[in-house]
Amino acid sequence: MSISAVKGFRDGLGPAACVSRQIEDAAAGVLRGYGFDEIRLPILERTELFARAIGETTDIVEKEMYTFEDRDGTLITLRPEGTASVVRALVEHHLDQKDPITRLYYTGPMFRHERPQKGRHRQFYQVGAELFGREDPLADAEVLACARDVLDAVGVRGARMLINSLGDGACRPAYRDALQAWGIARRDRLCKNCARRVDKNPLRLLDCKDPKCREATADAPLLKDHLCGECDDHFARVRSLLDALGVAYEVDPRLVRGLDYYVRTTFEITADGLGAVAAVGAGGRYDGLVAQLGGPKISGIGFAFGVDRLALALEAAQPGAEDRAAESLAPAVFIAVLGADAEAEALALARKLRRLGTRVELDGGRSLKSLMRRADRLGAGRVLIVGEEEVAARRGTLRDMIEKRDDKLAVDFDLDGEALLLAVGVEP
Ligand code: AMP
C-alpha cells in the first residue's frame, strides 16, 4: 500500500512551487532594499518560547501547536510563527549591541494544527520582517510602506491595508477594563468563545467573526476614543506620513491583536480570492516583547505575509500565474541523444549550455520519434539532435519545433559562450 501525506500537509509541485518561489524572491528583494538582512531560523523551538511570546490564552498556544517531547524530555514545538524566534535570536546573540537598530527578515514553513481549508493549511509558508530599536512613527510608516511594496512586487493588486492603534501601557489598561466591564454586562449575548474570553482577553471581542456576536458588540467602546495624547499623536503622524507617500490604507477601529505586548500601530492586509479567510498578512508594533523574552527594553515592529495566500491573491488579481510559471519551466533546449556513441558528446554539450544558465533537458535511449514527442509535450523551444552522424561531424542538428524543420549539422560542438547560445537560438 502506498503512503500519503499527513492531512493538512501538501507537496508543492511544479508550477505551484515555482509561483511560491517567485513570491518569496520578490518579497525578499523588497525587504533587502529596505535594509533587512535574512535570518535563517530553526524550525523547532522550546515550547515555552511560544507560550511566553504568543500568550497562553491564544488559539495558537491553546490548541494549534505541534508540541512533543524530545528524546531528553525537553518540550519542543514546530514553530507556529516567526516573530518569537527572531526575538529569541536577537536576545541570544545580543544583536542590539552591534547596532541598536536591527532589521531582519525570514521565510519558511510554519505549523499550526488548524482545520484545513482553502488558504488554511497545517504547514504553510510565511515571509516576515522585524525592525527593532525604533519607536518613532517614521519606523511604522516605513514598515507599512514596505508591506505595501511587497504586495506590489508580488503583483497582488487591490489589497486593503487596515490599520489601527492599540494604545500603550498608559491608555490601554483603562480601556481594557472598560471594555471588559461592558462585555461582562452583556455576556449572555456574546458567542460561547467570547463569553469565555471576555474574562482573560476582552480585546478579542472586537475581532470575533461570529455575525451575531459582532452585532452584539456593534456599539462596544472603541480604543480610538480612549487613546492617550502620545498614542494619538503617534498614530496621527503614521497616517500623515502614509498619506504623504500615497500609501493606501483604511483605519479599522475594531482591528485588534489579542496579545498584551502589542502596542500602538497594528495592521492587517486583506485581498480578494481567498475564500473564507481574508488576511494575506498582518503585523504591528510589539514594544514589550523583547523584554518579555528576557532581553533589553527595545521596541519592535514587524509583519508576516502568508505565501500560500499571496499566491491565491495573485491568481485572483492576475489569473494564469501558474500557467506562466509552467512556461518558464519548459526547457529552452532539449538534447535528443541517439545511440551510446553520442552520449559523452551530448552530455558535454548539455553541461556547457547549463553552465551558461540555459535550462536543458537531456534524454536518450529511445527512438527519435518518441524523444520528439516528449520534447513537444515539455514545450521545448528547440531540439538539438546528437547522433552518430553528428558525432562524426562534431556538429549537432537543430530542429525548430514550431516550423518542424531540421537545420542539419548546424551547431558546432566546439562553440562556447555567447556563440554557442546564438547557434542554438537561445537569447544570451
Ligand atoms: P498570523 O501570524 O496569524 O498573523 O498570520 C500571518 C499570515 O500568515 C496570515 O495573514 C496568513 O496570510 C498566513 N497564515 C496564517 N495561518 C495560516 C494557515 N493556517 N494557512 C495558510 N496561511 C496562514
Side-chain angles (χ1 to χ4, degrees):
M1 212 176 69
S2 63
I3 298 169
S4 58
V6 175
K7 184 179 171 195
F9 290 73
R10 301 157 308 147
D11 301 300
L13 298 172
C18 199
V19 170
S20 299
R21 171 67 62 203
Q22 284 166 0
I23 289 172
E24 286 164 2
D25 288 349
V30 171
L31 293 168
R32 283 194 293 267
Y34 274 83
F36 291 91
D37 288 342
E38 184 175 18
I39 176 165
R40 296 169 80 90
L41 296 164
I43 301 270
L44 284 172
E45 296 277 4
R46 290 171 193 278
T47 305
E48 62 176 301
L49 172 68
F50 302 115
R52 252 163 76 187
I54 306 174
E56 301 275 3
T57 60
T58 55
D59 284 353
I60 295 182
V61 173
E62 273 185 351
K63 42 191 190 209
E64 294 171 0
M65 295 205 307
Y66 282 91
T67 297
F68 50 92
E69 239 179 57
D70 205 352
R71 281 161 211 259
D72 64 359
T74 318
L75 260 195
I76 50 178
T77 294
L78 286 172
R79 60 182 190 194
E81 55 112 59
T83 304
S85 299
V86 178
V87 173
R88 180 206 38 77
L90 176 92
V91 175
E92 190 169 339
H93 304 292
H94 310 288
L95 297 182
D96 61 296
Q97 290 175 11
K98 294 187 190 107
D99 186 346
I101 314 243
T102 309
R103 297 173 190 249
L104 296 167
Y105 82 87
Y106 59 86
T107 60
M110 306 293 160
F111 305 85
R112 294 183 196 172
H113 198 285
E114 295 190 87
R115 195 172 53 77
Q117 64 182 93
K118 183 179 177 189
R120 179 169 290 145
H121 312 287
R122 290 179 174 177
Q123 175 173 338
F124 59 97
Y125 292 77
Q126 281 188 344
V127 47
E130 318 289 350
L131 165 54
F132 298 98
R134 291 268 308 274
E135 281 175 27
D136 50 328
L138 175 61
D140 304 43
E142 203 187 337
V143 165
L144 283 160
C146 177
R148 186 51 98 180
D149 286 348
V150 166
L151 291 164
D152 287 347
V154 168
V156 174
R157 302 192 195 108
R160 297 170 66 202
M161 194 152 79
L162 309 172
I163 71 171
N164 192 21
S165 174
L166 291 183
D168 65 4
C171 51
R172 194 165 64 219
Y175 165 74
R176 186 184 175 277
D177 292 348
L179 178 65
Q180 187 167 50
W182 185 94
I184 287 173
R186 292 160 183 79
R187 200 193 295 266
D188 54 334
R189 281 194 261 151
L190 303 176
C191 73
K192 229 171 76 194
N193 202 7
C194 285
R196 182 180 59 88
R197 61 188 175 183
V198 65
D199 294 318
K200 277 192 182 160
N201 210 341
L203 258 59
R204 297 308 298 269
L205 296 186
L206 298 178
D207 76 347
C208 180
K209 302 283 179 282
D210 183 308
K212 266 190 144 156
C213 196
R214 280 190 87 84
E215 214 182 290
T217 59
D219 57 349
L222 293 173
L223 192 50
K224 71 177 170 61
D225 304 315
H226 294 77
L227 291 180
C228 61
E230 279 185 24
C231 286
D232 212 24
D233 290 347
H234 184 99
F235 194 39
R237 183 72 187 141
V238 174
R239 286 181 327 226
S240 81
L241 285 167
L242 292 176
D243 291 339
L245 265 180
V247 170
Y249 65 88
E250 296 159 51
V251 174
D252 177 356
R254 292 178 67 101
L255 181 70
V256 294
R257 317 216 82 195
L259 317 182
D260 285 347
Y261 62 74
Y262 277 109
V263 294
R264 296 192 169 165
T265 313
T266 189
F267 55 101
E268 187 167 287
I269 296 162
T270 64
D272 292 337
L274 302 183
V277 295
V280 285
R285 182 168 272 291
Y286 48 82
D287 291 348
L289 181 60
V290 181
Q292 189 172 317
L293 291 178
K297 266 192 90 197
I298 332 180
S299 55
I301 177 167
F303 58 75
F305 279 103
V307 174
D308 316 81
R309 293 201 191 158
L310 285 173
L312 290 172
L314 176 62
E315 191 54 37
Q318 296 186 55
E322 285 198 15
D323 293 344
R324 289 191 294 278
E327 268 171 39
S328 76
L329 292 177
V333 181
F334 184 107
I335 298 188
V337 195
L338 300 175
D341 292 344
E343 282 175 356
E345 212 57 83
L347 190 57
L349 203 58
R351 184 156 177 245
K352 219 156 42 167
L353 283 165
R354 286 166 173 163
R355 288 166 71 123
L356 290 166
T358 312
R359 190 169 163 98
V360 177
E361 176 64 20
L362 182 76
D363 193 2
R366 286 180 285 138
S367 72
L368 181 59
K369 202 168 151 198
S370 124
L371 292 172
M372 284 302 172
R373 262 205 303 271
R374 177 152 181 260
D376 216 22
R377 208 171 50 238
L378 295 182
R382 47 196 62 73
V383 177
L384 191 60
I385 302 166
V386 185
E388 219 173 274
E389 196 187 333
E390 281 78 12
V391 170
R394 295 199 50 73
R395 302 176 77 89
T397 294
L398 197 62
R399 173 166 297 187
D400 185 318
M401 295 303 281
I402 298 167
E403 309 269 318
K404 299 272 179 254
R405 195 167 38 83
D406 281 354
D407 202 350
K408 257 191 117 39
L409 308 183
V411 180
D412 187 333
F413 290 169
D414 296 317
L415 288 177
D416 215 334
E418 212 165 287
L420 175 61
L421 294 176
L422 286 172
V424 294
V426 174
E427 293 248 335

